[in-house]
Every structure is written in structure tokens, then in C-alpha cells.
Amino acid sequence: MEICVLVKQVPSTDKVQIDEETGTMIRSELESELNPLDMYAVEEAVRIKESTPQTKITVVTMGPLSAEYALKEAISMGCDEGVLLTDRKFAGADTLATAYTLSQYLKDKHYDIIFAGERATDGETGQVGPSVGTQLDIPILTYVNKIIDITNDMITVQRAVEGGNEIIQTGLPALITVVKEINEPRLPNLENKLKAKKSSIKIVSNQELKIEEGKIGLKGSPTRVVKVFYPKISRNGEKVIVKTPQEALEKIKSFLKEKGVIS
């Protein structure tokens, strides 16, 4: 079985900065990590590999060269190889342009299952996975919290819906986005850490993909951040100094009466 896992490198801090001119995230100065929600997709793929002979897992991402770190983190969890789509022409892509670029790489590949996390923690859209499935014209199963059965050409899953769960069966290939209830991601062992360190990541640029520039990166993104502002928090507080608990109580009662809370 051939499995692909789509992952993303995201900032590992909450000090995210936005370029006010382009409306895109400034990533160069941020520490990054494998998107935490993608770890559940990686773990599920590795579990299938452990129970299904001759299964190979390829982990794919789009991003700067530093995104190799996220791919190697997935390899240290048990994936076999990593592919990085990187090109300055891909920069500034929204979810549609990102999904289009990924799908153009995947369209000639023959993966039985494509896994993705529910969403990325830096964007919180949950759009890229389903959009890739749509552009590849394959079945899409979202919010999956349990893999029930896999055969050579069919997969049966349980997915979370409002008020409960539902069981769905579909043919392969299929794209599956998973939620964190599906498993508990493992810690990498020493053998896989060494394997990841020595692994060579395949680099793919637009010179190889030959995608029309108007469909990728900032140029191919129909959505735009038109304004960036940072909320200002101000509190008009009053500091009251009292000498006794009774005096404090009277001050509080006076304040609540003034505001109409008590009479």
C-alpha cells in the first residue's frame, strides 16, 4: 500500500507577526515545528504500515527550505521519505493556491490513501486537505476519528458529526483528514531519529512542476489580507487604598450601588 501524508511547518511560538504590506506571515525569524494536528495523521499512517506488509509512507509539504525539519520529524515517527515543494514563486499562497500546487505534484502519483491533519494551527482553516482531494477528484472523508477496515480497494471509517458519529465506506484512493481523537502520536525512537537525521529530502521546485505562475503563490491566491491591525487593550481602573476590611467593604458596596448592581 502507498500512503501519502500532507503536513505543514507552523510557528512554534505565539509571537506571530504579519507583513502589513503583503498580509502574509513573517516566518523567517520564527521557530517552527511540525503542525501538532498533523502528527495524528502521521501516527495513523504509521499504524497502518505496521499492520499492512509492504506499505510505504511519503510525507509531503510545501514551504521554505527550513520545512525540511518538519519532514524529518515525520520520518522520525516512522514515515519512509519526505518531499518538499519549495520555490520563491510558491510564497504567499493562500489555501487554494497551496492545494493547487500540492495537487499538481500528486496528480501523477498513485497513492492509495492521502492523510492530512484536521487543520493547521497557524491558519485554522481546515481547507487545504479537502481542497487537494477535490482537485484530485477522489473521495474525501473529513473529521475521521477511527479507521475501521481497509482492503485493497475499499476503506471504512468512523467520522465525527454533530451529535455523534457516522460510519462511511468508500473506494480507494481517498483523502482522509483526521481529528486528534483518532490516536495518540508516538515519541520517536532512537533508530528512527538516526534514520531521519541521515535521510535525504527530495526537493521539488516549479521548474519541475511547470505550473502557470498565475495559479501559484501570491499571484494565484484569490483571497487577500486587505488590512492588518493589532487590538489595543485599555483598562480605566481606579486604585483605592483602604486601612480596614470594613472600609474596603463599604467602598465595594458604594461602587456597586453607583453602577446599579445593588440598591
Side-chain angles (χ1 to χ4, degrees):
M1 178 170 285
E2 293 282 341
I3 298 177
C4 173
V5 185
L6 303 179
V7 301
K8 186 180 183 183
Q9 175 182 262
V10 297
S12 57
T13 73
D14 57 1
K15 299 177 182 178
V16 175
Q17 293 181 319
I18 302 294
D19 186 320
E20 297 189 16
E21 292 186 7
T22 64
T24 58
M25 187 180 299
I26 300 172
R27 299 179 182 270
S28 58
E29 299 179 0
L30 293 175
E31 295 181 10
S32 299
E33 63 182 1
L34 172 62
N35 176 41
L37 296 175
D38 290 343
M39 290 185 178
Y40 299 92
V42 171
E43 174 65 24
E44 199 61 26
V46 173
R47 291 188 182 193
I48 293 173
K49 175 185 173 181
E50 291 173 338
S51 62
T52 308
Q54 298 182 329
T55 293
K56 180 181 178 182
I57 305 173
T58 303
V59 58
V60 179
T61 192
M62 186 186 91
L65 286 172
S66 61
E68 282 192 6
Y69 174 83
L71 294 173
K72 290 195 174 187
E73 193 171 351
I75 292 173
S76 73
M77 292 176 64
C79 294
D80 296 295
E81 62 182 18
V83 178
L84 172 59
L85 310 184
T86 185
D87 196 304
R88 292 186 65 85
K89 295 172 183 177
F90 298 156
D94 66 359
T95 55
L96 182 62
T98 298
Y100 184 76
T101 305
L102 289 168
S103 64
Q104 288 301 294
Y105 171 75
L106 295 171
K107 67 179 182 179
D108 297 324
K109 308 298 184 292
H110 301 285
Y111 294 113
D112 299 290
I113 303 173
I114 301 175
F115 279 112
E118 177 191 354
R119 65 187 188 282
T121 56
D122 62 347
E124 297 287 342
T125 65
Q127 296 174 349
V128 172
S131 182
V132 169
T134 299
Q135 295 187 54
L136 292 175
D137 195 26
I138 60 177
I140 304 164
L141 304 175
T142 56
Y143 303 107
V144 172
N145 56 22
K146 184 178 182 181
I147 304 290
I148 297 174
D149 185 47
I150 303 175
T151 65
N152 289 334
D153 57 0
M154 299 290 290
I155 186 167
T156 306
V157 305
Q158 175 179 285
R159 62 186 300 267
V161 296
E162 188 173 354
N165 297 293
E166 67 178 10
I167 307 298
I168 293 184
Q169 184 179 72
T170 189
L172 297 177
L175 186 140
I176 297 172
T177 68
V178 303
V179 294
K180 61 183 182 180
E181 290 78 17
I182 194 168
N183 58 46
E184 186 65 35
R186 70 192 63 196
L187 293 174
N189 59 35
L190 180 59
E191 181 182 355
N192 281 336
K193 281 185 176 181
L194 292 174
K195 175 186 172 183
K197 187 176 181 180
K198 296 177 182 178
S199 63
S200 178
I201 302 300
K202 181 180 179 181
I203 304 297
V204 178
S205 70
N206 199 45
Q207 186 174 357
E208 180 178 335
L209 294 180
K210 295 181 173 57
I211 308 173
E212 182 183 335
E213 290 188 22
K215 294 183 178 181
I216 57 176
L218 198 59
K219 292 181 180 179
S221 301
T223 58
R224 292 284 191 278
V225 176
V226 296
K227 183 179 180 181
V228 176
F229 68 93
Y230 298 92
K232 295 180 180 180
I233 300 175
S234 60
R235 296 182 177 90
N236 299 319
E238 178 184 353
K239 186 176 182 180
V240 179
I241 299 175
V242 296
K243 295 182 179 179
T244 66
Q246 185 61 35
E247 188 180 353
L249 181 59
E250 292 300 323
K251 287 285 187 182
I252 293 172
K253 287 171 63 177
S254 175
F255 175 78
L256 293 176
K257 287 180 180 180
E258 181 184 338
K259 297 299 181 181
V261 178
I262 62 175
S263 56

